[in-house]
Amino acid sequence: MGNLKFQFEKYSKNNTLLSIVMVLLGVVLFIWPGKTLTLAARILGIALLVGAAVSAFSWYREKDKAGSTFASLGIAALCLIAGLVVLIAPKGVVSLLPKLIGIAIMINGAINLAQAFELRNVGQQGWTSGMVMAGLTVALGLFLVIFSFSAMKAAVMVIGGVLVYNGVSNLWIESRYKKMGR
């Protein structure tokens, strides 16, 4: 029984610490979404530069051995270029993902528009609703393409808010759970 109590207390401390970290991270993400995204991109850029250095060193170390290839040197060059691009234009890299998603959504909306026209051509009811929904899909995809960084910042703010809520609710439930054990 004593060992179970020790494990519960250890879990409780870890859970409390994790909940506090969630709240703090959530606040940071909510208050500074753009800076947080930019920082994440810069960390990625640095990691790519480190990967470039490791690959170049690997190529240099193995270049005189039989069967060595330029693959490590090619990977080093790609990592170097990608790392520099990310470090030079971190906001551009961050905005790339919503742009790609937006393009995919626009294509899907265009396909839905074509389907709605086919429904109209065969006299099927409900084609106007399909047309409106498809048009809205295209518009939302276009929104992501045009305002990708703002959309990404909003998504990060939502994630931050959810983390704050989750951390606070964990802390509250943990406090009630501790009172139950007393």
Side-chain angles (χ1 to χ4, degrees):
M1 185 71 163
N3 189 26
L4 186 60
K5 184 177 180 183
F6 172 75
Q7 287 178 343
F8 170 75
E9 288 173 357
K10 184 177 176 183
Y11 167 78
S12 179
K13 287 178 185 175
N14 289 342
N15 192 41
T16 300
L17 179 63
L18 180 62
S19 297
I20 291 169
V21 168
M22 273 193 263
V23 169
L24 294 175
L25 179 60
V27 168
V28 168
L29 291 174
F30 191 79
I31 294 175
W32 298 292
K35 290 181 181 181
T36 305
L37 289 169
T38 303
L39 177 63
R42 286 196 171 117
I43 291 170
L44 173 64
I46 291 168
L48 286 167
L49 292 180
V50 169
V54 168
S55 292
F57 179 74
S58 175
W59 172 81
Y60 181 76
R61 193 180 69 221
E62 303 289 326
K63 71 178 180 171
D64 295 329
K65 294 185 179 176
S68 70
T69 64
F70 284 98
S72 293
L73 194 56
I75 291 170
L78 289 173
C79 286
L80 175 66
I81 292 167
L84 290 174
V85 167
V86 170
L87 287 174
I88 292 169
K91 287 184 180 180
V93 172
V94 167
S95 69
L96 185 61
L97 183 61
K99 283 184 193 286
L100 293 174
I101 293 170
I103 289 169
I105 290 172
M106 286 172 51
I107 291 169
N108 185 269
I111 291 168
N112 290 344
L113 274 172
Q115 291 170 328
F117 276 116
E118 285 181 34
L119 290 173
R120 184 191 71 174
N121 290 341
V122 296
Q124 186 72 31
Q125 289 196 358
W127 69 269
T128 53
S129 299
M131 184 83 60
V132 169
M133 289 189 292
L136 184 59
T137 300
V138 171
L140 289 172
L142 185 61
F143 174 82
L144 284 178
V145 169
I146 294 172
F147 300 106
S148 57
F149 192 70
S150 297
M152 194 65 140
K153 283 183 5 180
V156 170
M157 289 176 72
V158 168
I159 292 167
V162 169
L163 283 173
V164 168
Y165 168 78
N166 187 40
V168 169
S169 70
N170 282 349
L171 289 170
W172 187 85
I173 291 168
E174 187 71 29
S175 72
R176 299 299 164 245
Y177 201 68
K178 284 180 183 177
K179 283 185 180 182
M180 180 183 77
R182 289 183 185 168

